[in-house]
Amino acid sequence: MFDGVSLDQLRTFIAAADEGSFSAAGRRLRRAQSVVSQTLANLEGQLGVKLFDRRARFPMLTDQGRALLADARAVAGDVDLFKARAKSLAGGLEPELSVAVDVVFPLAPFTATVAAFQKEFPATLLRFDVESSAVIEPVLDGRCTIGVIASLRTAPPQLTCERLLAVRTPILVSPQHPLATHRAPIPMAVLAEHIQLVHADPSDLSRAGGFGLLSPRVWRLSHLGAKLAFLRAGLGFGIMPLHMIEADLASGALVQITAESAPPEGYVVAMTAVYRTDSPPGPAGRWFIDRLKQEDARWLNEKAPLPAAATTQRERPPSRSLAIVRSLSNNGLPAVSR
């Protein structure tokens, strides 16, 4: 009997409950009151429960009817979502979008983009990984449609790049570290006597090559949280994204130092969205990148502005609202280890 329950019966049940009468439900569904009444009677017979108490002037939901109404709404909603997804797929919308994000990227604009995406594209399954190591590889091998990466100096030829925001990365030490006592820019010879903590993964193509290291004594950590803990413990000096250590600077848990070879305000890491040129994002992926740029701009408006950047070959221009980016190569800044 239950297999005979139809979506039409459930929609009639929902309409009658919402409108408070069979006649009003009929007007909403453009059906005669008698058709609505008969449809609900058939549904009650198939379910074996009374949904409405008809003894009063207007039908009232029974306890069983109230309990089943939520389930009816859920079923009808799932069918609507199913139909919407099928319609979207027929129009070229991706059934799934996968994004790999470098852990250095600020979480505030990313989470805002994800929340907006879920509302805009409920029929597209969104998968993402916030990585502390390689991000380019899953894009190259097709496991992810979009990658959000940092410190990419030369993109592989099969990738298209779009500039996102830029992140300040000052050089930091614990106040107990010997380097914390230097008030002037620190000579390279002095830095070379101390351990530099570097966030890097040898398998990550985006960070291969010369990292612009400031000391030959290097400890490489693939976990950014471990690097921060080592910095706080005074085990070395290192570069960290400013948005991750603002509270440490404010509390005095970390202090900023300056190297003679580095800009006074610290290095700047350019974040970039990448995807395979032969497999560009569809409507949902395109929307995700554009929305990420908008959220970047909102987030950057709350931060100290950075100079605007020119785009490089194969890059799309950033949105007009995102004028606060910096091209490391065009400004002569070395790539930095993180």
Side-chain angles (χ1 to χ4, degrees), residues 136 149-157 159 161 163 204-213 268-272 274 312-313 315 327-330 332-337:
I136 266 193
I149 63 175
S151 297
L152 181 65
R153 295 186 298 166
T154 304
L159 293 184
C161 305
R163 184 75 74 197
D204 190 346
L205 295 181
S206 70
R207 298 171 195 154
F211 283 156
L213 297 177
V268 174
V269 173
M271 306 299 301
T272 306
V274 298
T312 57
Q313 185 179 9
E315 288 183 340
S327 169
L328 300 181
S329 58
N330 289 350
L333 294 179
V336 299
S337 56

Side-chain angles (χ1 to χ4, degrees), residues 130-176:
V130 179
E131 298 282 354
S132 62
S133 56
V135 173
I136 266 193
E137 286 77 4
V139 179
L140 286 173
D141 62 25
R143 285 179 287 133
C144 286
T145 306
I146 300 169
V148 177
I149 63 175
S151 297
L152 181 65
R153 295 186 298 166
T154 304
Q158 60 268 51
L159 293 184
T160 295
C161 305
E162 298 191 32
R163 184 75 74 197
L164 300 175
L165 54 74
V167 176
R168 290 190 184 278
T169 56
I171 308 171
L172 306 160
V173 292
S174 164
Q176 286 75 43

Side-chain angles (χ1 to χ4, degrees), residues 99-137:
V99 183
V101 184
D102 194 299
V103 70
V104 169
F105 193 84
L107 285 179
F110 180 69
T111 53
T113 300
V114 170
F117 182 90
Q118 289 181 309
K119 294 180 181 179
E120 186 74 17
F121 298 97
T124 298
L125 175 63
L126 178 62
R127 293 193 303 108
F128 57 86
D129 295 307
V130 179
E131 298 282 354
S132 62
S133 56
V135 173
I136 266 193
E137 286 77 4

Side-chain angles (χ1 to χ4, degrees), residues 32-61:
Q33 176 181 345
S34 59
V35 174
V36 171
S37 181
Q38 186 60 51
T39 299
L40 293 174
N42 292 340
L43 177 60
E44 290 174 327
Q46 289 173 284
L47 297 177
V49 297
K50 282 290 183 182
L51 301 174
F52 291 94
D53 184 345
R54 296 168 172 81
R55 292 174 296 181
R57 180 180 177 184
F58 294 103
M60 301 289 294
L61 280 170

Side-chain angles (χ1 to χ4, degrees), residues 188 196 198 210-216 218 220 237 261 267 335-337:
M188 292 295 292
Q196 181 177 359
V198 173
F211 283 156
L213 297 177
L214 302 176
S215 172
V218 173
R220 300 184 187 276
F237 72 94
S261 62
Y267 291 101
V336 299
S337 56

Side-chain angles (χ1 to χ4, degrees), residues 7 11 14 72-82:
L7 181 61
R11 293 197 187 282
I14 294 169
R73 293 189 193 279
V75 171
D78 287 343
V79 172
D80 289 340
L81 181 60
F82 175 82

